[in-house]
Amino acid sequence: MGLLERLRKEWFILGIVLVIAVARLEPTVGVKGGPLKPEITITYIAVSAIFFNSGLSLKTEAAAIFNSAFGSFLGIVITPLLLLLFLGSSSSVPFPSIFSQLFMTVVVPLVIGQIVRRYIKDWLERKKPPFGAISSCVLLMIIYTTFCDTFANPNIDLDKFSLIIIVFIIFSIQMSFMFLTFLFSTRDNSNFTPADTVAIIFCSTHKSLTLGIPMLKIVFAGYEHLSLISVPLLIYHPAQILLGSLLVPTIKSWMVSRQQAQKLTRQPKAPVKV
């Protein structure tokens, strides 16, 4: 794969680096109350646009895609409940407000997108709009405004040692999840094929920023350290891509060897001549 093709494929990661750099150079544009008015355009319009786009593109008759979307939907409910469990009802987190905002900016646009899809499904299948690219561009806007708030506050800083520790922890977590799913899917009493195992390893441990960043924006709205909270999630996304690309040859070799071994065991034995 050539350099230009590689850059084109990983444009979103490059975009994250670019918007953070732009936010560092001129943070006043995207701060709360600034020209972009992120408290309205991002918190409500951008987040709703992402999930309307998801609802419009979601093929509920494809099991893997539906499973991924359903997992994200569960996150909408589980995340506030986990906050309530760990922080307690005496915390300053406005749980009723979080639930209502998540419902209005995530659930409602998703449902509307699915309803609209029913009427224009044939057109969508024919034209194939770039749903992924659209959501990614909106996400870059959200990331940009988040870091504008950070760089506009001189009291907020992330030292290099802490960043290195975060990177190490994230890679360790990612590797641990992949190893655990491998052990689970290859145990003796499992009926998973080698191809199933590969799908489980990657699908169950890899997540995009589509839900995480908007949810952080809603749950921690107005919190001055929001961008610092976002850093692990921003690292997790490229980390899973990097680990995936490094592990694909090894996992592919394992899958092929297991498939060949299974074929040999299933072949009928030749009759013995007396």
Side-chain angles (χ1 to χ4, degrees):
M1 184 182 292
L3 178 60
L4 186 61
E5 186 180 351
R6 186 69 182 179
L7 292 175
R8 190 182 295 115
K9 186 177 180 180
E10 306 296 348
W11 70 270
F12 181 61
I13 295 177
L14 295 174
I16 292 176
V17 176
L18 180 61
V19 297
I20 292 176
V22 173
R24 182 72 180 88
L25 292 172
E26 192 54 57
T28 57
V29 176
V31 295
K32 185 176 181 180
L36 289 182
K37 300 293 181 185
E39 62 274 16
I40 298 173
T41 58
I42 299 298
T43 304
Y44 296 99
I45 299 175
V47 175
S48 299
I50 285 179
F51 288 98
F52 173 76
N53 186 55
S54 297
L56 203 60
S57 62
L58 179 62
K59 299 177 182 179
T60 48
E61 68 274 9
I65 297 175
F66 178 78
N67 180 65
S68 175
F70 184 68
S72 297
F73 179 79
L74 285 178
I76 299 169
V77 179
I78 292 173
T79 299
L81 290 176
L82 287 174
L83 282 171
L84 180 63
L85 176 65
F86 289 114
L87 299 179
S89 58
S90 61
S91 68
S92 59
V93 178
F95 293 102
S97 175
I98 290 173
F99 273 113
S100 61
Q101 192 169 347
L102 284 173
F103 182 79
M104 293 304 298
T105 58
V106 176
V107 179
V108 172
L110 191 67
V111 172
I112 293 175
Q114 276 285 280
I115 294 172
V116 173
R117 178 180 171 81
R118 281 183 153 190
Y119 295 97
I120 61 171
K121 181 180 177 181
D122 293 336
W123 181 85
L124 292 173
E125 293 293 335
R126 189 169 61 254
K127 295 295 183 179
K128 299 187 183 302
F131 292 114
I134 293 171
S135 293
S136 296
C137 289
V138 178
L139 275 175
L140 290 177
M141 276 190 62
I142 296 174
I143 294 169
Y144 168 70
T145 57
T146 300
F147 277 85
C148 280
D149 285 333
T150 297
F151 294 129
N153 188 339
N155 298 322
I156 297 178
D157 189 25
L158 179 65
D159 62 275
K160 294 179 181 179
F161 178 75
S162 298
L163 188 60
I164 292 172
I165 294 298
I166 291 173
V167 171
F168 175 77
I169 291 173
I170 288 173
F171 271 88
S172 300
I173 290 173
Q174 180 73 9
M175 286 293 293
S176 299
F177 283 158
M178 295 180 78
F179 181 66
L180 287 173
T181 53
F182 176 80
L183 291 179
F184 169 79
S185 58
T186 56
R187 69 191 193 280
D188 293 335
N189 59 343
S190 71
N191 295 319
F192 296 118
T193 66
D196 291 335
T197 297
V198 174
I200 290 169
I201 290 172
F202 287 107
C203 292
S204 64
T205 61
H206 285 49
K207 296 297 292 181
S208 71
L209 302 173
T210 306
L211 181 66
I213 291 293
M215 186 175 290
L216 284 176
K217 197 79 174 176
I218 292 171
V219 173
F220 296 98
Y223 184 51
E224 63 177 1
H225 297 288
L226 175 59
S227 60
L228 298 184
I229 297 175
S230 307
V231 167
L233 189 57
L234 293 174
I235 296 174
Y236 189 89
H237 183 72
Q240 64 189 12
I241 295 174
L242 177 60
L243 281 174
S245 62
L246 291 175
L247 293 174
V248 160
T250 303
I251 293 177
K252 182 180 179 180
S253 176
W254 171 86
M255 183 185 74
V256 171
S257 63
R258 285 293 297 268
Q259 287 175 334
Q260 291 175 345
Q262 288 180 353
K263 285 181 181 178
L264 290 174
T265 56
R266 290 172 185 170
Q267 286 181 354
K269 295 182 179 179
V272 180
K273 294 183 179 180
V274 179

